[in-house]
Amino acid sequence: MDEWVTIARHRQTRTHLPAAEECPLCPAHPGSEVPSWYDVAVFENRFPSFSFGAHDYEPVGGLSEVRPGLGRCEVVCFTPDHQASFASLSPDQVELVMEAWVDRTAELSALPGVEQVFCFENRGAEIGITLPHPHGQIYGYPYVTPRTRQMLDSAERYRGNLFADVLAAERAGPRVIAANAYWTAFVPAAARYPFEVHLYPHRQVPDLPALDPAERAAFGPVYTDVLRRLDGLFGVTMPYVAAWHQAPVSERRELAYLHLQLFSIRRAPGKLKYLAGSESAMGAFVNDIRPEEAADMLRDQESQPD
């Protein structure tokens, strides 16, 4: 199958939707995993999918190769405010989160055995979060993920610069949601999800550490604008996944183009898009909303104050 599956059975016992007064990501209470106060906090996940302490594993039958899940999983707390969201962060706070992503990407990329670093945020009960406090995660994978391999394979086959050409076409097209001098946010032509937005820097870089200070500072205003538009669509907090696509640590870095993929599974008030047979079993997505329609809805929606 040429695909790794991680078995992490200890994660069955991880903390699940605790009361606010028992949240381990809130400061200044018994059981907290963070300092008494902080701006942005980063620490190792207590229930990691990958760990450098993972040396024991059981052999399996058949043709499967088995190896220990060596790697790193970290938690990034965006703010000590339990009721906040990424959309409500100030520009300075977003820059600080960006600096944390940059620092941790560089540090994890230098660890022996880490082949790819993935910064992401899951938001909303519909997505399956176990802690509602505003936070994200960072994975240091011991392999290059299937999605990244697929994108780089496509870029390798393309006669030209695939990602740069996609960005140029989208900037000239009807699906742009927000932009500034350094970043453009657009609904992709082949969006998989009802509401999906990609954010590209205008300069091709392989990963977050390669962004210059001006690019890092310019990210927040575009991103939080898009998040507020999402939240304003149906008058409810939108669940989403925000995923940074970065180059692998040591292969085909020249083909990669850093970008953020943001998508929500909410397709209408009271309705979610579930990944059913075609998507889950075959990886063949069926979208209920035309990308141009989704772009129109987001553009027409006022950027709501959080």
Side-chain angles (χ1 to χ4, degrees):
M1 297 291 187
D2 194 28
E3 181 178 326
W4 289 101
V5 175
T6 303
I7 309 299
R9 59 186 181 184
H10 62 281
R11 286 175 52 80
Q12 281 278 44
T13 61
R14 66 189 184 274
T15 307
H16 183 74
L17 299 178
E21 60 272 15
E22 298 174 350
C23 176
L25 305 186
C26 290
H29 73 76
S32 176
E33 297 182 33
V34 295
S36 57
W37 196 254
Y38 63 89
D39 294 311
V40 172
V42 182
F43 54 93
E44 189 170 11
N45 196 321
R46 287 177 56 203
F47 302 94
S49 300
F50 306 99
S51 170
F52 283 103
H55 293 280
D56 296 328
Y57 58 94
E58 299 175 3
V60 297
L63 299 177
S64 297
E65 179 185 350
V66 180
R67 58 173 171 160
L70 301 180
R72 176 88 173 178
C73 292
E74 297 182 342
V75 175
V76 183
C77 294
F78 303 140
T79 169
D81 184 355
H82 188 83
Q83 303 303 325
S85 68
F86 203 108
S88 71
L89 299 181
S90 70
D92 287 345
Q93 289 174 301
V94 175
E95 279 197 62
L96 192 56
V97 174
M98 171 65 80
E99 291 305 314
W101 286 333
V102 167
D103 176 80
R104 298 317 299 156
T105 295
E107 289 291 326
L108 268 61
S109 295
L111 294 176
V114 169
E115 293 297 328
Q116 183 177 339
V117 178
F118 176 43
C119 305
F120 64 101
E121 180 192 2
N122 299 327
R123 183 207 191 190
E126 300 92 335
I127 293 296
I129 61 162
T130 57
L131 293 173
H133 192 102
H135 74 287
Q137 298 181 66
I138 305 175
Y139 276 20
Y141 292 104
Y143 55 81
V144 178
T145 62
R147 180 74 188 282
T148 299
R149 284 192 283 111
Q150 182 183 39
M151 287 195 296
L152 295 179
D153 287 347
S154 296
E156 202 163 42
R157 290 192 300 268
Y158 182 74
R159 293 184 178 180
N161 188 320
L162 176 61
F163 298 109
D165 286 355
V166 166
L167 176 60
E170 293 291 356
R171 291 181 71 188
R175 293 181 294 272
V176 172
I177 307 303
N180 60 20
Y182 297 95
W183 295 82
T184 293
F186 60 88
V187 176
R192 293 175 172 85
Y193 293 89
F195 296 97
E196 179 174 350
V197 179
H198 292 190
L199 284 82
Y200 274 63
H202 295 167
R203 182 174 67 97
Q204 182 170 4
V205 295
D207 53 22
L208 288 160
L211 293 171
D212 66 31
E215 290 164 331
R216 297 176 191 180
F219 166 75
V222 174
Y223 183 47
T224 54
D225 175 57
V226 172
L227 291 178
R228 290 166 186 160
R229 289 177 187 274
L230 273 176
D231 278 349
L233 273 178
F234 303 127
V236 296
T237 298
M238 288 286 271
Y240 65 72
V241 173
W244 280 107
H245 291 279
Q246 305 197 80
V249 170
S250 58
E251 65 176 78
R252 297 195 288 180
R253 291 177 58 82
E254 74 286 353
L255 295 172
Y257 196 127
L258 171 75
H259 62 283
L260 180 76
Q261 178 191 15
L262 171 71
F263 62 89
S264 177
I265 59 172
R266 184 171 297 286
R267 57 187 176 89
K271 296 180 180 179
L272 300 178
K273 173 182 178 60
Y274 293 99
L275 300 190
S278 184
E279 291 90 356
S280 295
M282 291 291 104
F285 277 72
V286 179
N287 194 347
D288 302 302
I289 299 178
R290 289 178 61 244
E292 293 76 15
E293 179 186 356
D296 286 342
M297 293 173 69
L298 286 167
R299 260 196 316 271
D300 292 343
Q301 176 60 47
E302 292 292 333
S303 180
Q304 298 294 316
D306 200 271

